[in-house]
Amino acid sequence: MDSGPVESPSGVGVIDKAALVLSALESGPATLAQLVSITHLARPTAHRIAVALEHHRLVSRDAHSRFTLGPRISELAGAAGEDRLLALAGPVLNALRDKTHESAQLYRRQGDMRVCVANAERPIGLRDSIPVGAALSMLAGSAAQVLLAWEEPERLHRGLQNARFNATVLSVVRRRGWAQSVGEREPGVASVSAPVRGAGGRVVAAISISGPIERMGRQPGALHGAAVIAAARHLSELLANSEAH
């Protein structure tokens, strides 16, 4: 018998338990023991629910066999007409691309990965193309730095393991409000990112531009940091206004 509440909030117990598991994974990867601790479900129940969700790609496993949110989550979010962030992001990304003349992207974190959920490609010339739906590592790149920099200490420390940046770099990111990378994610590619904030100031996404080092230089943040921050703040304001109505 589960050690959690007897009554089902929705009246459909299995759905409530599945929702508990998904909510538990919102803050990052979790072992079965951690799922049990967070959800207060019995161990066999937590395992059964997580494995069933994995079958439907709503849950995945990372390299350490921990449970994480699965790719189906972002697919459903992308298809949802009421996804305010994606609905608002297009014009902002287009404007950022036109201002910087570099490809622009919007990333959300999903477990140990970051997923490109919207983009605005540079139309001609050499560019760094990141298709919508592409899942990239959280261990390298300016967007990964931004998505990790404002995390809670425990999760931040865990995210730095094997990363190509360190705590000092993230401290600088928090102080100046933007991150840069030069050949960190991929040789020859530079990028600049800034945080998009939702309710309560929580970082919900990273807005980025990326392109060849030969054009963006070895200090791309000095060249484009202000423009990327302005775009991130504008998108954050649009999101706050949409949530208020």
Side-chain angles (χ1 to χ4, degrees):
M1 180 178 289
D2 294 339
S3 57
V6 175
E7 292 186 2
S8 164
S10 72
V12 184
V14 68
I15 298 297
D16 294 330
K17 291 169 185 173
L20 280 175
V21 170
L22 292 173
S23 295
L25 297 176
E26 185 179 2
S27 60
T31 63
L32 179 58
Q34 289 169 328
L35 278 183
V36 170
S37 175
I38 296 168
T39 63
H40 303 293
L41 295 173
R43 187 180 180 91
T45 301
H47 182 262
R48 185 174 70 250
I49 295 292
V51 170
L53 291 169
E54 184 180 16
H55 177 76
H56 291 285
R57 300 173 61 244
L58 292 163
V59 163
S60 296
R61 310 275 185 116
D62 66 9
H64 303 288
S65 295
R66 296 174 299 180
F67 294 104
T68 70
L69 292 177
R72 187 62 181 147
I73 299 291
S74 62
E75 292 169 4
L76 290 170
E82 294 183 4
D83 190 321
R84 291 184 295 264
L85 180 62
L86 296 189
L88 297 167
V92 177
L93 291 173
N94 288 339
L96 180 60
R97 175 200 59 200
D98 295 344
K99 184 175 181 62
T100 63
H101 306 293
E102 301 295 349
S103 297
Q105 305 89 28
L106 185 72
Y107 293 97
R108 278 174 166 162
R109 183 171 183 177
Q110 186 179 107
D112 286 342
M113 306 297 287
R114 54 184 170 101
V115 178
C116 179
V117 294
N119 66 8
E121 293 284 5
R122 176 185 164 97
I124 58 173
L126 192 60
R127 61 185 182 268
D128 181 37
S129 294
I130 308 292
V132 171
L136 305 179
S137 172
M138 278 291 294
L139 299 177
S142 64
Q145 294 175 29
V146 163
L147 291 171
L148 189 61
W150 283 272
E151 287 284 10
E152 296 177 355
E154 181 181 344
R155 195 175 182 199
L156 188 153
H157 177 73
R158 192 165 65 234
L160 283 172
Q161 296 175 17
N162 301 316
R164 297 191 63 184
F165 46 82
N166 57 32
T168 301
V169 169
L170 297 189
S171 177
V172 173
V173 170
R174 288 191 296 273
R175 187 176 71 246
R176 67 190 178 192
W178 54 263
Q180 68 177 7
S181 68
V182 178
E184 189 175 280
R185 173 179 62 82
E186 186 177 335
V189 173
S191 68
V192 183
S193 300
V196 177
R197 299 181 182 274
R202 184 173 65 91
V203 174
V204 295
I207 194 168
S208 307
I209 59 168
S210 60
I213 293 174
E214 62 188 56
R215 192 167 59 232
M216 294 185 67
R218 290 279 168 184
Q219 292 294 328
L223 186 62
H224 297 300
V228 178
I229 282 181
R233 286 177 177 167
H234 182 44
L235 184 52
S236 299
E237 290 167 0
L238 291 174
L239 188 59
N241 291 337
S242 73
E243 289 174 346
H245 293 89

